[in-house]
Amino acid sequence: MARPDKLKLGTFVYTFGFNPAAWRHPDVDVNGANRIDHLLNVAKMSEAAKFDFMFLADSPAAAIGDPEALSRSPTKMNRFEPLSLISALSVLTERIGFVATASTSFYEPFNLARIFASIDHLSGGRACWNVVTSDHDETGYNYNFDGLPPHSWRYERGAEFVDVVFGLWDSYEPDALILDKASGLYYDKDKLHTLNHKGKHFQVRGPLNIAASPQGRPVIAQAGGSEPGMELAARTAEIVFSLASSLERNKAFAENVKGRMAKFGRQTSDLKMMPGVVINVGETKAEAQAKVNFLIDNLHPDVGRWMLGEFLETDLSGAALDEPFPMERLPAEPKGSKALFEELTDYIRKGHTLGHLIRHYAEKSTGNGITGTPTEIADFMEEWFEAGAADGFILMCPTLPASLADFIRLVVPELRRRGLFRDDYEGSTLRENLGLSLPTNRYAAARRQG
């Protein structure tokens, strides 16, 4: 039986696209990393198609690694700070939401609570915080750490960080502002609350010096797949970004996370599981594959070695492309997707050269995606959606804006024909468009009960 709801769509944004060779695409403005025009175009295209949000992935550090490879790949080396960017984009758009990544390991709760609350007001209720704890040593080197602090410390701090931010966002009750010029009363003093948080990692008095968010509070996104990550998602997240490599794995992941929500008093309808998928679409299968081949052909060998080496956690710099993969450099366990690691291992054992392996990895790099016709793409999305493996998808467009334009022109009409995707926005806030309930202010709730 068909689901009564519609699937949700978001545009994943690395400046030029998800593929490291995207900046070499003929439709890409190579100056776009430092001009707003390029990303505003992506935002307006997404908004015109009625997408829910743009998702800005980020790491507050340049990459560390082979200088030759990095000099040929701008993905992490030259890009806007996301909170500044969405502040600008939000006042130049009307309905699309903006998801910005900010780390609990390297911000302070008060700063982040105030910034996101401000953006939510500036945008009319379209802000979303992608909560991360950071997972690259290169970030720690810029924040008084020698690499990253331990995983357990980062998640413990992260959980307390989110609690403090939520408490600060509740500082003003929704109806606290009186705004009575005649009496001279601006706000009800009994409806502004001081947090007085004293925990293991933070001591924050409050209150936050900005009124309640237009959507109760900004939406929360998260991507953690570890045990503490799933617990934090079940307790706090409203969008979960996943990278499971099959319908079965993603359905199991969705059921695992959503199955934990009841103990936190939450409804499963308030969490949208949205896998990130790499999609290459063409009017024919051959046309779609040609788009993949263009990017692989334009991936410089040094970048290919670096990408594959980063996934396998091994140094491949200088390794010969026309010889079999050096087996002594193959780790016993993967850093990322186990399914993709096993696929690459099987490929290696068949005797393929390192060059062939890099091409294979470049096409399969997330372990989750599809290359095909509009019908094939829509079939893929419908199957995952109806099976409960996804509530929507975050499109990891190989190139921007070209891949996004292809998807909007070819796939969106087919999704609408099947009744799977909206014709227009349901509301004015991101929370309304995602079908999420309005969060309850803790002090207002206590007042009603008292």
Side-chain angles (χ1 to χ4, degrees), residues 218-251:
V219 174
I220 299 296
Q222 201 197 344
S226 65
E227 180 62 28
M230 289 188 288
E231 278 288 289
L232 186 61
R235 185 165 66 87
T236 65
E238 292 156 313
I239 299 169
V240 171
F241 173 58
S242 66
L243 277 177
S245 57
S246 70
L247 183 154
E248 293 75 18
R249 285 190 176 93
N250 214 76
K251 184 176 181 180

Side-chain angles (χ1 to χ4, degrees), residues 139-220:
T139 306
Y141 296 133
N142 294 333
Y143 292 90
N144 297 313
F145 290 96
D146 185 14
L148 279 182
H151 183 275
S152 58
W153 181 92
R154 284 181 282 127
Y155 266 96
E156 182 183 75
R157 175 187 163 99
E160 185 180 339
F161 191 114
V162 172
D163 289 342
V164 174
V165 170
F166 280 17
L168 290 169
W169 281 339
D170 278 352
S171 293
Y172 278 92
E173 293 183 38
D175 60 349
L177 297 187
I178 304 300
L179 310 178
D180 186 345
K181 289 184 178 181
S183 68
L185 186 61
Y186 188 79
Y187 67 87
D188 183 340
K189 61 181 176 55
D190 294 327
K191 294 184 178 181
L192 174 62
H193 303 275
T194 301
L195 182 62
N196 287 322
H197 173 88
K198 292 185 178 181
K200 181 175 180 179
H201 296 273
F202 302 107
Q203 180 172 311
V204 182
R205 188 193 68 177
L208 195 63
N209 54 346
I210 188 167
S213 162
Q215 54 179 342
R217 65 171 179 248
V219 174
I220 299 296

Side-chain angles (χ1 to χ4, degrees), residues 5 11 31 43 52 69 83 88 99 116 136 139 197 207 214 222 253 298 308 353-354 356 359 384 415 446:
D5 54 338
T11 305
N31 296 304
D52 291 87
L83 297 174
V99 183
F116 269 106
H136 291 287
T139 306
H197 173 88
Q222 201 197 344
F253 178 65
N298 281 276
L308 181 60
T353 66
L354 175 60
H356 287 140
R359 290 183 66 90
W384 281 53
L415 294 175

Side-chain angles (χ1 to χ4, degrees), residues 18 34 243 254 319 362 433:
F18 184 72
N34 305 113
L243 277 177
N433 292 324

Side-chain angles (χ1 to χ4, degrees), residues 365-431:
S365 58
T366 66
N368 191 17
I370 183 171
T371 296
T373 65
T375 299
E376 290 173 318
I377 304 301
D379 285 347
F380 170 88
M381 291 186 159
E382 184 172 18
E383 182 183 18
W384 281 53
F385 181 65
E386 296 295 353
D391 298 301
F393 298 90
I394 299 177
L395 306 180
M396 304 173 79
C397 301
T399 64
L400 288 171
S403 298
L404 177 61
D406 290 341
F407 183 89
I408 292 170
R409 177 174 61 89
L410 296 172
V411 181
V412 168
E414 178 62 18
L415 294 175
R416 287 187 173 135
R417 187 188 68 78
R418 301 183 188 200
L420 292 169
F421 187 59
R422 65 165 66 92
D423 293 311
D424 201 358
Y425 287 110
E426 293 82 7
S428 60
T429 70
L430 176 58
R431 189 172 291 280

